[in-house]
């Protein structure tokens, strides 16, 4: 206990407190969050490269659909119209497309979460329909003969209406 510092002296306390890290450079309290975000972005980039771009939100997909339909309609040349009427018809189609886009775009901008809910509801309806169809198909393919569902109404209570 003379003048020599022991193993639990001030140098070790500085190391435990992080003083060495501050001496080496500024301490970043968000380093872990930044590292996690970088790892997540790298993983997303790897998956995009491997599987292609993932679909966006339902609102983004609707916007893409509207743009694709608008582009397709704008590029159509109808053989039903003559050469003189073709330009006027194309102008009417373009005007219709622009009006439709102008009507849809604000709805998408104001309510993007509604489209996500509608997409989820559609998935649930599809699952319910699929379940009902599979159940009906099982009954059809089971063949003749009474089964548990074909025995008529189950036991019940007789109710006298008089």
């Amino acid at each position: 206990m003379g003048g020599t510092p022991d193993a639990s002296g001030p140098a070790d306390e500085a190391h435990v407190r992080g003083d060495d890290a501050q001496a080496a450079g500024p301490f970043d309290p968000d380093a872990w969050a930044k590292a996690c975000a970088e790892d997540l972005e790298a993983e997303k980039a790897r998956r995009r490269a491997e599987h292609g771009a993932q679909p966006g939100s339902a609102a983004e997909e609707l916007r893409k659909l509207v743009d694709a339909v608008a582009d397709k309609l704008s590029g159509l040349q109808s053989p039903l119209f003559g050469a003189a009427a073709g330009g006027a018809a194309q102008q009417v189609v373009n005007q219709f497309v622009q009006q439709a886009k102008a009507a849809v775009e604000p709805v998408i901008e104001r309510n993007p979460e509604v489209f996500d809910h509608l997409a989820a509801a559609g998935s649930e309806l599809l699952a319910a329909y699929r379940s009902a169809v599979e159940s009906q198909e099982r009954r059809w393919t089971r063949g003749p003969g009474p089964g548990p569902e074909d025995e008529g109404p189950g036991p019940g209570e007789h109710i006298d209406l008089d």
Side-chain angles (χ1 to χ4, degrees):
M1 291 224 178
T4 61
D6 61 350
S8 62
D12 285 340
E13 290 175 10
H15 180 69
V16 171
R17 288 193 321 257
D19 291 344
D20 289 341
Q22 287 180 355
F27 177 71
D28 186 5
D30 294 330
W32 181 256
K34 288 178 184 176
C36 289
E38 289 171 2
D39 288 347
L40 181 61
E41 286 304 314
E43 179 65 16
K44 286 180 180 179
R46 184 189 67 78
R47 288 183 184 210
R48 276 192 299 271
E50 186 176 317
H51 301 290
Q54 295 294 319
S57 70
E60 291 169 358
E61 294 300 313
L62 178 61
R63 186 176 290 120
K64 288 179 188 176
L65 175 66
V66 169
D67 289 341
V69 170
D71 290 344
K72 193 69 166 176
L73 286 176
S74 296
L76 286 179
Q77 297 294 329
S78 177
L80 299 176
F81 301 117
Q90 188 65 35
Q91 190 174 14
V92 168
V93 168
N94 288 341
Q95 183 180 5
F96 171 75
V97 166
Q98 292 304 319
Q99 287 176 345
K101 284 177 77 173
V104 169
E105 193 64 33
V107 174
I108 294 171
E109 288 295 322
R110 283 192 304 258
N111 306 307
E113 67 280 351
V114 169
F115 296 101
D116 291 332
H117 290 297
L118 288 173
S123 296
E124 291 295 324
L125 285 172
L126 180 61
Y129 174 77
R130 192 174 286 147
S131 174
V133 167
E134 288 173 354
S135 174
Q136 186 64 35
E137 285 176 345
R138 278 193 299 274
R139 279 188 245 146
W140 289 338
T141 59
R142 186 174 45 229
E149 290 119 9
D150 297 332
E151 294 176 359
E157 181 178 333
H158 178 74
I159 300 174
D160 190 12
L161 300 175
D162 288 332

